[in-house]
Amino acid sequence: MAMRKLQLHTKILLAMVVGAGFGLLANRLDLASFVATYVQPVGTAFVRLIGMVIVPLVFASLVVGTTSLGDVRSLGRIGAKTIGFYLCTTVVAISIGLLLANLVQPGSGLSENAKSRLIEGAAQQDAAGKTPRESASIKDVLLNIIPTNPIRAFAEGQMLQIIFFALLTGVCLTLIGAERGGPAIRFFEAVNDAMVMMVHLIMKVAPFGVFALIAAVVTDFGLHILLVLAKYSAVVLAGLLLHMLLVYSLCLRLFSKMGAGRFFRGIRPAQLIAFSSASSSATLPVTIECAAENLGVPRHICSFTLPLGATVNMDGTSLYQGVAAVFLAQLYGMDLSCTQQLTIVLTATLASIGAAGTPGAGIVTLAIVLGSIGVPLEGIGIILGVDRILDMCRTVVNVTGDAVCAVVVASTENQVRRAPTGE
Ligand code: ASP
């Protein structure tokens, strides 16, 4: 009875703590295969349940969001604000990453012995085919946004392509007018509502899923993994924290009337799911619910800004890519010029746009950044070991950044509801 009264985010938080404790114990007692067989599937089932909703939700939500912005002019205004905000915060995030990595120099103080061990280990990972072999070119990333066949894009879950097609569909439904476009718009509204209902149902089992996900990660890695690359991990984590607490609070203060306290309380359930699933896309349904229900952002703005942000806006990922690129360059004894650092800003922006909102996507598109400044791609193997934990943390920032944008856009349109309907 008491359990039923607890708010969802408290239950999820509890599940996380218990999951971590369970994972540590299992790690100590060598119960990895027990956890993999009996516990992890519960987490996988949860992620699959949410994953099932993503494609229909993103498509329907973006079509509805686009059409409900009314005319093409307000779509242009809100679209420009959203994209502008996403780009600016991404560039700020990378700059923070670069600044910290240049100041702290996490790749420099290592002994020659430690360096060669790390580089040797990476070469082995590379030989085992665990690191990306080539980086996609920027041209390919951009061209790949246009689907040649939207149905294939749906089937393969190509989010950028789905977004592109959804936005165009929404614009065209608006252009053909309410009378002709109405039936299709109402259809997508119903699909959207049904998907939101599905998310409500799935969230009822979230604490079990989160428990299993955290337990599995901690059993696999143990918490000591962070110590192996402690300085590098610390720089990434410090950057993420700085960006989340300083930059986002500042944005809220400058562009909205919402206090940081209310914002962070309201978005907490989404942050917890982001942390445990390491996937912005899987978190998207919860992000939409938090923004609409707890932060008072109108549904049509949530429907437009958040699905876009889940794929396009990844401040945490781009910050981490900045740190990783400088760290690896330092390890390989390369001095990065100003032009190379600017290249990192440009390519990490594109790499974070191109990264899917799925676990580990950022480390794959990191290859684009490393390729652009000539750092050997097998360097990725060096940081692979700590990537999962950093991934969980950067996903929290990615999701938080999307929600800040939704609040800021709604505020500048004077559309934030004052009293939240619940948390
Ligand atoms: N897991 C991240 C996300 O879903 C992407 C990444 O950085 O790997 O937002």
Side-chain angles (χ1 to χ4, degrees), residues 278-280 314 317 356-362 391 394-395 398:
S279 166
S280 305
M314 294 193 183
T317 300
T358 52
D391 192 5
R394 63 187 187 245
T395 308
N398 292 346

PDB file of all heavy atoms in Angstrom, residues 278-280 314 317 356-362 391 394-395 398, ligand 1:
ATOM      1  N   ALA A 278      20.554   4.137 -21.117  1.00  0.00           N
ATOM      2  CA  ALA A 278      21.576   4.731 -21.997  1.00  0.00           C
ATOM      3  C   ALA A 278      21.027   4.957 -23.403  1.00  0.00           C
ATOM      4  O   ALA A 278      21.744   4.802 -24.387  1.00  0.00           O
ATOM      5  CB  ALA A 278      22.838   3.866 -22.045  1.00  0.00           C
ATOM      6  N   SER A 279      19.766   5.329 -23.489  1.00  0.00           N
ATOM      7  CA  SER A 279      19.183   5.565 -24.811  1.00  0.00           C
ATOM      8  C   SER A 279      18.189   6.724 -24.771  1.00  0.00           C
ATOM      9  O   SER A 279      17.172   6.652 -24.079  1.00  0.00           O
ATOM     10  CB  SER A 279      18.492   4.289 -25.293  1.00  0.00           C
ATOM     11  OG  SER A 279      17.666   4.582 -26.395  1.00  0.00           O
ATOM     12  N   SER A 280      18.508   7.794 -25.527  1.00  0.00           N
ATOM     13  CA  SER A 280      17.583   8.935 -25.584  1.00  0.00           C
ATOM     14  C   SER A 280      16.283   8.523 -26.240  1.00  0.00           C
ATOM     15  O   SER A 280      15.208   8.987 -25.858  1.00  0.00           O
ATOM     16  CB  SER A 280      18.137  10.076 -26.436  1.00  0.00           C
ATOM     17  OG  SER A 280      19.372  10.492 -26.022  1.00  0.00           O
ATOM     18  N   MET A 314      22.320  16.160 -28.936  1.00  0.00           N
ATOM     19  CA  MET A 314      23.011  15.326 -27.951  1.00  0.00           C
ATOM     20  C   MET A 314      24.178  16.099 -27.367  1.00  0.00           C
ATOM     21  O   MET A 314      25.333  15.929 -27.770  1.00  0.00           O
ATOM     22  CB  MET A 314      23.507  14.050 -28.611  1.00  0.00           C
ATOM     23  CG  MET A 314      22.393  13.173 -29.066  1.00  0.00           C
ATOM     24  SD  MET A 314      22.951  11.557 -29.480  1.00  0.00           S
ATOM     25  CE  MET A 314      21.424  10.852 -30.051  1.00  0.00           C
ATOM     26  N   THR A 317      26.697  13.787 -25.549  1.00  0.00           N
ATOM     27  CA  THR A 317      27.513  13.009 -26.481  1.00  0.00           C
ATOM     28  C   THR A 317      28.586  13.884 -27.124  1.00  0.00           C
ATOM     29  O   THR A 317      29.746  13.487 -27.235  1.00  0.00           O
ATOM     30  CB  THR A 317      26.593  12.397 -27.574  1.00  0.00           C
ATOM     31  OG1 THR A 317      25.640  11.564 -26.920  1.00  0.00           O
ATOM     32  CG2 THR A 317      27.374  11.598 -28.586  1.00  0.00           C
ATOM     33  N   ALA A 356      22.511   7.888 -33.458  1.00  0.00           N
ATOM     34  CA  ALA A 356      21.151   7.489 -33.074  1.00  0.00           C
ATOM     35  C   ALA A 356      21.052   7.596 -31.560  1.00  0.00           C
ATOM     36  O   ALA A 356      22.071   7.569 -30.871  1.00  0.00           O
ATOM     37  CB  ALA A 356      20.902   6.063 -33.512  1.00  0.00           C
ATOM     38  N   GLY A 357      19.833   7.711 -31.050  1.00  0.00           N
ATOM     39  CA  GLY A 357      19.694   7.811 -29.590  1.00  0.00           C
ATOM     40  C   GLY A 357      19.691   6.438 -28.945  1.00  0.00           C
ATOM     41  O   GLY A 357      18.784   6.087 -28.209  1.00  0.00           O
ATOM     42  N   THR A 358      20.724   5.659 -29.240  1.00  0.00           N
ATOM     43  CA  THR A 358      20.770   4.283 -28.717  1.00  0.00           C
ATOM     44  C   THR A 358      22.072   4.079 -27.945  1.00  0.00           C
ATOM     45  O   THR A 358      23.015   4.855 -28.118  1.00  0.00           O
ATOM     46  CB  THR A 358      20.717   3.265 -29.866  1.00  0.00           C
ATOM     47  OG1 THR A 358      21.740   3.626 -30.796  1.00  0.00           O
ATOM     48  CG2 THR A 358      19.386   3.282 -30.563  1.00  0.00           C
ATOM     49  N   PRO A 359      22.146   3.034 -27.109  1.00  0.00           N
ATOM     50  CA  PRO A 359      23.364   2.844 -26.328  1.00  0.00           C
ATOM     51  C   PRO A 359      24.596   2.693 -27.233  1.00  0.00           C
ATOM     52  O   PRO A 359      24.558   1.983 -28.236  1.00  0.00           O
ATOM     53  CB  PRO A 359      23.107   1.529 -25.576  1.00  0.00           C
ATOM     54  CG  PRO A 359      21.631   1.386 -25.547  1.00  0.00           C
ATOM     55  CD  PRO A 359      21.118   2.043 -26.787  1.00  0.00           C
ATOM     56  N   GLY A 360      25.645   3.407 -26.868  1.00  0.00           N
ATOM     57  CA  GLY A 360      26.905   3.245 -27.593  1.00  0.00           C
ATOM     58  C   GLY A 360      26.961   3.914 -28.954  1.00  0.00           C
ATOM     59  O   GLY A 360      27.968   3.816 -29.656  1.00  0.00           O
ATOM     60  N   ALA A 361      25.909   4.641 -29.352  1.00  0.00           N
ATOM     61  CA  ALA A 361      25.930   5.249 -30.681  1.00  0.00           C
ATOM     62  C   ALA A 361      27.016   6.316 -30.774  1.00  0.00           C
ATOM     63  O   ALA A 361      27.660   6.480 -31.811  1.00  0.00           O
ATOM     64  CB  ALA A 361      24.577   5.863 -31.000  1.00  0.00           C
ATOM     65  N   GLY A 362      27.242   7.020 -29.671  1.00  0.00           N
ATOM     66  CA  GLY A 362      28.212   8.111 -29.670  1.00  0.00           C
ATOM     67  C   GLY A 362      29.629   7.639 -29.926  1.00  0.00           C
ATOM     68  O   GLY A 362      30.433   8.343 -30.543  1.00  0.00           O
ATOM     69  N   ASP A 391      28.354   6.506 -21.097  1.00  0.00           N
ATOM     70  CA  ASP A 391      27.193   6.571 -21.981  1.00  0.00           C
ATOM     71  C   ASP A 391      25.918   6.850 -21.162  1.00  0.00           C
ATOM     72  O   ASP A 391      25.081   7.682 -21.518  1.00  0.00           O
ATOM     73  CB  ASP A 391      27.072   5.229 -22.722  1.00  0.00           C
ATOM     74  CG  ASP A 391      26.073   5.281 -23.874  1.00  0.00           C
ATOM     75  OD1 ASP A 391      25.558   6.369 -24.148  1.00  0.00           O
ATOM     76  OD2 ASP A 391      25.834   4.230 -24.496  1.00  0.00           O
ATOM     77  N   ARG A 394      26.090  10.496 -20.152  1.00  0.00           N
ATOM     78  CA  ARG A 394      25.884  11.512 -21.201  1.00  0.00           C
ATOM     79  C   ARG A 394      24.455  11.462 -21.724  1.00  0.00           C
ATOM     80  O   ARG A 394      23.906  12.472 -22.168  1.00  0.00           O
ATOM     81  CB  ARG A 394      26.907  11.371 -22.321  1.00  0.00           C
ATOM     82  CG  ARG A 394      26.881  10.092 -23.110  1.00  0.00           C
ATOM     83  CD  ARG A 394      28.051  10.013 -24.083  1.00  0.00           C
ATOM     84  NE  ARG A 394      27.922   8.853 -24.944  1.00  0.00           N
ATOM     85  CZ  ARG A 394      28.741   7.817 -24.970  1.00  0.00           C
ATOM     86  NH1 ARG A 394      29.794   7.811 -24.182  1.00  0.00           N
ATOM     87  NH2 ARG A 394      28.555   6.812 -25.794  1.00  0.00           N
ATOM     88  N   THR A 395      23.825  10.280 -21.657  1.00  0.00           N
ATOM     89  CA  THR A 395      22.430  10.196 -22.112  1.00  0.00           C
ATOM     90  C   THR A 395      21.519  11.045 -21.209  1.00  0.00           C
ATOM     91  O   THR A 395      20.566  11.662 -21.687  1.00  0.00           O
ATOM     92  CB  THR A 395      21.955   8.728 -22.149  1.00  0.00           C
ATOM     93  OG1 THR A 395      22.910   7.969 -22.900  1.00  0.00           O
ATOM     94  CG2 THR A 395      20.598   8.590 -22.794  1.00  0.00           C
ATOM     95  N   ASN A 398      21.864  14.424 -22.520  1.00  0.00           N
ATOM     96  CA  ASN A 398      21.173  14.548 -23.818  1.00  0.00           C
ATOM     97  C   ASN A 398      19.677  14.787 -23.625  1.00  0.00           C
ATOM     98  O   ASN A 398      19.084  15.674 -24.235  1.00  0.00           O
ATOM     99  CB  ASN A 398      21.355  13.257 -24.635  1.00  0.00           C
ATOM    100  CG  ASN A 398      22.791  13.058 -25.085  1.00  0.00           C
ATOM    101  OD1 ASN A 398      23.593  13.986 -25.020  1.00  0.00           O
ATOM    102  ND2 ASN A 398      23.130  11.863 -25.517  1.00  0.00           N
TER     103      ASN A 398
HETATM  104  N1  ASP B   1      23.395   6.709 -25.743  1.00  0.00           N
HETATM  105  C1  ASP B   1      23.330   8.073 -26.183  1.00  0.00           C
HETATM  106  C2  ASP B   1      21.887   8.491 -26.331  1.00  0.00           C
HETATM  107  O1  ASP B   1      21.043   7.672 -26.570  1.00  0.00           O
HETATM  108  C3  ASP B   1      24.059   8.300 -27.465  1.00  0.00           C
HETATM  109  C4  ASP B   1      25.513   8.075 -27.210  1.00  0.00           C
HETATM  110  O2  ASP B   1      26.200   9.037 -26.842  1.00  0.00           O
HETATM  111  O3  ASP B   1      25.994   6.954 -27.350  1.00  0.00           O
HETATM  112  O4  ASP B   1      21.581   9.646 -26.201  1.00  0.00           O
END
